[in-house]
Amino acid sequence: MRLVLVDDEKGIVDGLKIMISRYIPECEIVGAAYNGLEGFKLIQKLQPDIVITDIRMPQSDGLDMIKMLKDAGTKTKFILLSGYADFEYARRGIQLGVQFYINKPVEEEELRDCVIQVMGAIRADRAKLREVDELKQEVHSRMQESALRDVLDLSSDNTLMEELLRHAGIPTAGASFACVLLEFDGNVDALKEFGLQPVFHHIDRALGQYRGVYRFRYSGAQVAVVVTQGGAIGYADLVRSVQRLKEEIYRELKLSMSVGIGTIQKQAAGISQSFEEARYALSFKVIKGADTVIPFPEITNLTGRRHPVSEEMITRLEAGLDNMDEMECVGIIGEIFRGMEAEPSMGPADLQLQCLNILLSSVRKMSFQQLQQNDFLGRHILSLEGISRFRTLVSLEEWMVQVIRRIIAFKLEHNIPKKKDIISEVKEYVSTHYNEPITLADLAARFFISPYYLSQFFKQKTGDTYVNFLTQIRIGKAKELLEKTDLKVYEICQLVGYSDTQHFARLFEKLTGCKPREYRKNLPNV
């Protein structure tokens, strides 16, 4: 603790210095002054933890000095030193918040006891401040995570995107963005044991060269990372950094993971696109195997070659799988392979590639949770090793039929219903659970569909993003509560699923043209 002495008698100051250095080694005397004005200037300059000051001094007494320092915002703790049993001085000291007094002549034991009490009070104050700071940081982190979840699940709503990023405290002017999605493989009990903080520490360290790194648990064993940079982001450097991150986490935490990396985006509106690319790239771990880093351009290179399998065929196959019509699916596989026979230039590698494309189409609506639940699909079928065993059209066709049958059997085993109006059910669920922290990933897991596919399908069917739909539902409910109840705005904010009143007010004003209080004030009197 840093300590300053203020007394107009030099002998008393020297004596206090000796006693403190001898009996209170936890304190360091950083300065001394001999009147109130000099003490005021010195304490303002040094900002010590503790000041021991005489009351009666020339120019400005100890109480006047304390008042000036309090008015200036000093947080120092004061011990009053006086040989006067004067009630008026004690009363003024109490009014100034002084809790500690020592009478002259000063005894070593009394001095030590008093200073120890003050140090204890300072430590308690600091602990409370740390708690408040930690609570503020936790609230900020949760608000930032909530805003980032919405950003990742948006499509291309520039206005709302800018609002959410501003709410998350992420600068966008002149910035580049990239998204990374980590998924921990295998047994993640260790992850549950020590939590995500050690993982976050490694992410921050491995990507520390970038201006902003925002990371949070996205869903289950998945962690989303948004990287921002004031200028351009070198994609090759980002991939290398992520590869090092994967290696470090395995080496130091014994956790293996697969990673999808989206492309670099030069506008904030592209963040959701980069995240969808990362999510889509990660879905290729069923092909490339676990414990891999998969940049999105590698996937486009893989799937961008010529496709003798038409989109119409793939759509029919998907419909057959949705309806769990085994006969229809087997017939379509037969048609696809007859088409392959008509391509004389296709070699074994090309045939295997086409099978990969068919497999990806077959499972692209399924969530990772579903694939991981089925040993046959998750480990033996959906892998390069599985496909490489078959090098003729006949054997590949038989194998593909087996895969399709296993997918249908899995759906029947888990009571996954036949094709239905998923979007209507999603909208109905959101309309009922709007006050809960519903994410796109949560919905995808609930309705047995991949987040990437749900995001695209929702926009295709409704013409709007999932986040916009949820916002409209919540603000609509907020309007009802403003009209029909006397609840305060912050209470309504919480009831409709928001944790930040300011963010809620901005969204409300965006959709209604006025703030919540103004909306209630302008209601007609009934």
Side-chain angles (χ1 to χ4, degrees):
M1 296 279 180
R2 302 169 72 252
L3 190 148
V4 164
L5 304 174
V6 185
D7 196 299
D8 61 334
E9 296 184 43
K10 188 175 185 300
I12 291 178
V13 171
D14 292 341
L16 287 171
K17 286 180 178 179
I18 292 171
M19 283 192 285
I20 290 169
S21 62
R22 182 178 299 170
Y23 298 108
I24 318 174
E26 304 96 319
C27 286
E28 175 192 5
I29 298 173
V30 294
Y34 300 94
N35 62 64
L37 287 179
E38 184 183 336
F40 172 77
K41 294 175 182 176
L42 183 66
I43 294 164
Q44 279 278 81
K45 177 183 177 182
L46 299 178
Q47 293 295 317
D49 302 301
I50 304 171
V51 170
I52 299 177
T53 179
D54 192 11
I55 291 180
R56 291 203 174 188
M57 293 181 294
Q59 297 186 37
S60 175
D61 69 22
L63 294 175
D64 289 337
M65 179 190 74
I66 292 173
K67 184 178 185 307
M68 288 190 294
L69 288 165
K70 293 280 187 182
D71 291 344
T74 300
K75 303 298 182 184
T76 299
K77 296 283 186 185
F78 295 93
I79 299 174
L80 283 178
L81 185 64
S82 176
Y84 301 88
D86 192 324
F87 174 77
E88 181 60 24
Y89 280 123
R91 187 178 68 80
R92 284 185 61 202
I94 291 171
Q95 290 174 341
L96 291 170
V98 179
Q99 300 172 293
F100 305 96
Y101 298 82
I102 299 176
N103 291 320
K104 293 180 180 180
V106 179
E107 299 290 338
E108 293 93 337
E109 187 175 344
E110 182 183 6
L111 174 65
R112 177 171 172 76
D113 289 346
C114 187
V115 172
I116 287 175
Q117 287 183 54
V118 176
M119 290 192 295
I122 291 172
R123 292 189 183 103
D125 288 347
R126 288 176 179 173
K128 289 179 182 177
L129 285 174
R130 281 195 299 271
E131 287 179 9
V132 171
D133 289 342
E134 288 171 2
L135 181 60
K136 287 180 179 177
Q137 182 59 41
E138 183 179 351
V139 170
H140 174 72
S141 296
R142 289 185 178 179
M143 288 166 49
Q144 187 178 75
E145 177 181 332
S146 176
L148 277 172
R149 283 183 181 280
D150 289 344
V151 166
L152 297 183
D153 292 336
L154 281 172
S155 180
S156 57
D157 187 330
N158 289 319
T159 305
L160 184 55
M161 179 74 77
E162 292 287 345
E163 163 68 19
L164 288 168
L165 289 171
R166 186 164 55 251
H167 178 63
I170 300 176
T172 59
S176 297
F177 307 88
C179 293
V180 179
L181 185 59
L182 286 57
E183 183 172 73
F184 293 94
D185 302 316
N187 188 341
V188 292
D189 287 342
L191 186 63
K192 296 175 183 176
E193 233 177 81
F194 54 67
L196 283 173
Q197 284 308 316
V199 173
F200 289 163
H201 171 73
H202 282 287
I203 292 172
D204 293 342
R205 188 171 66 183
L207 303 177
Q209 70 270 34
Y210 300 108
R211 182 176 71 181
V213 178
Y214 308 91
R215 67 286 186 280
F216 59 92
R217 186 194 293 273
Y218 182 69
S219 173
Q222 293 183 340
V223 171
V225 183
V226 179
V227 175
T228 71
Q229 184 74 317
I233 297 176
Y235 196 70
D237 292 337
L238 175 63
V239 172
R240 281 192 293 269
S241 296
V242 172
Q243 183 67 44
R244 284 195 299 270
L245 168 65
K246 184 182 78 68
E247 293 166 359
E248 287 176 10
I249 286 180
Y250 182 77
R251 183 174 63 251
E252 299 188 26
L253 303 180
K254 304 305 178 189
L255 290 171
S256 61
M257 65 183 187
S258 301
V259 187
I261 308 177
T263 59
I264 309 300
Q265 300 293 321
K266 295 183 179 179
Q267 293 184 345
I271 293 178
S272 60
Q273 177 184 334
S274 181
F275 184 69
E276 287 187 348
E277 292 170 350
R279 189 158 50 191
Y280 186 55
L282 183 59
S283 72
F284 273 67
K285 80 172 203 172
V286 297
I287 303 302
K288 300 180 77 68
D291 194 29
T292 52
V293 173
I294 311 170
F296 180 75
E298 285 188 12
I299 303 307
T300 57
N301 291 339
L302 177 65
T303 59
R305 305 175 193 176
R306 58 196 179 94
H307 297 285
V309 182
S310 68
E311 186 62 31
E312 185 267 337
M313 283 283 192
I314 295 298
T315 303
R316 286 175 55 201
L317 180 60
E318 285 184 346
L321 286 168
D322 284 335
N323 293 309
M324 287 172 275
D325 187 337
E326 182 179 319
M327 186 177 296
E328 172 73 6
C329 290
V330 172
I332 294 168
I333 293 295
E335 289 183 49
I336 289 173
F337 276 82
R338 300 298 77 75
M340 289 186 184
E341 287 179 347
E343 292 283 338
S345 61
M346 290 185 68
D350 294 318
L351 293 174
Q352 291 165 11
L353 175 61
Q354 294 309 318
C355 285
L356 290 185
N357 293 330
I358 298 168
L359 280 174
L360 287 172
S361 299
S362 302
V363 301
R364 67 181 175 181
K365 295 183 184 180
M366 299 176 71
S367 64
F368 279 148
Q369 291 90 333
Q370 291 173 288
L371 293 174
Q372 291 167 347
Q373 287 173 23
N374 188 283
D375 183 74
F376 182 79
L377 293 177
R379 289 195 296 170
H380 299 305
I381 292 299
L382 302 181
S383 68
L384 287 172
E385 182 183 355
I387 295 176
S388 63
R389 297 199 306 267
F390 307 102
R391 302 182 66 82
T392 68
L393 271 176
V394 173
S395 58
L396 277 170
E397 183 177 356
E398 291 174 352
W399 181 69
M400 284 298 303
V401 168
Q402 186 184 19
V403 172
I404 296 301
R405 284 175 173 157
R406 289 294 184 123
I407 292 173
I408 292 174
F410 175 85
K411 290 187 173 188
L412 291 171
E413 178 186 349
H414 289 78
N415 298 316
I416 302 174
K418 293 185 178 182
K419 186 172 183 179
K420 53 189 176 180
D421 189 352
I422 290 281
I423 300 305
S424 293
E425 294 200 10
V426 167
K427 291 169 72 174
E428 182 180 347
Y429 180 83
V430 171
S431 298
T432 305
H433 298 82
Y434 62 89
N435 58 332
E436 300 173 10
I438 312 171
T439 67
L440 191 66
D442 294 333
L443 282 176
R446 175 173 291 276
F447 288 96
F448 289 95
I449 191 171
S450 77
Y452 178 83
Y453 184 81
L454 177 57
S455 173
Q456 299 298 311
F457 197 40
F458 194 96
K459 182 69 180 290
Q460 176 188 338
K461 289 294 185 181
T462 67
D464 203 356
T465 65
Y466 155 70
V467 173
N468 283 348
F469 174 76
L470 176 60
T471 301
Q472 290 166 4
I473 293 290
R474 286 175 168 175
I475 299 304
K477 297 295 181 181
K479 288 167 63 178
E480 289 182 21
L481 292 172
L482 287 167
E483 294 166 5
K484 299 177 181 179
T485 73
D486 294 326
L487 292 170
K488 299 184 184 301
V489 171
Y490 76 86
E491 293 175 317
I492 293 174
C493 167
Q494 294 172 351
L495 285 173
V496 299
Y498 292 108
S499 58
D500 180 11
T501 308
Q502 291 184 346
H503 178 54
F504 163 68
R506 285 195 293 268
L507 289 176
F508 190 96
E509 185 176 12
K510 179 187 174 185
L511 292 183
T512 66
C514 61
K515 292 181 171 61
R517 288 187 178 84
E518 295 171 352
Y519 181 85
R520 174 177 274 168
K521 184 178 178 181
N522 294 332
L523 290 173
N525 294 322
V526 180

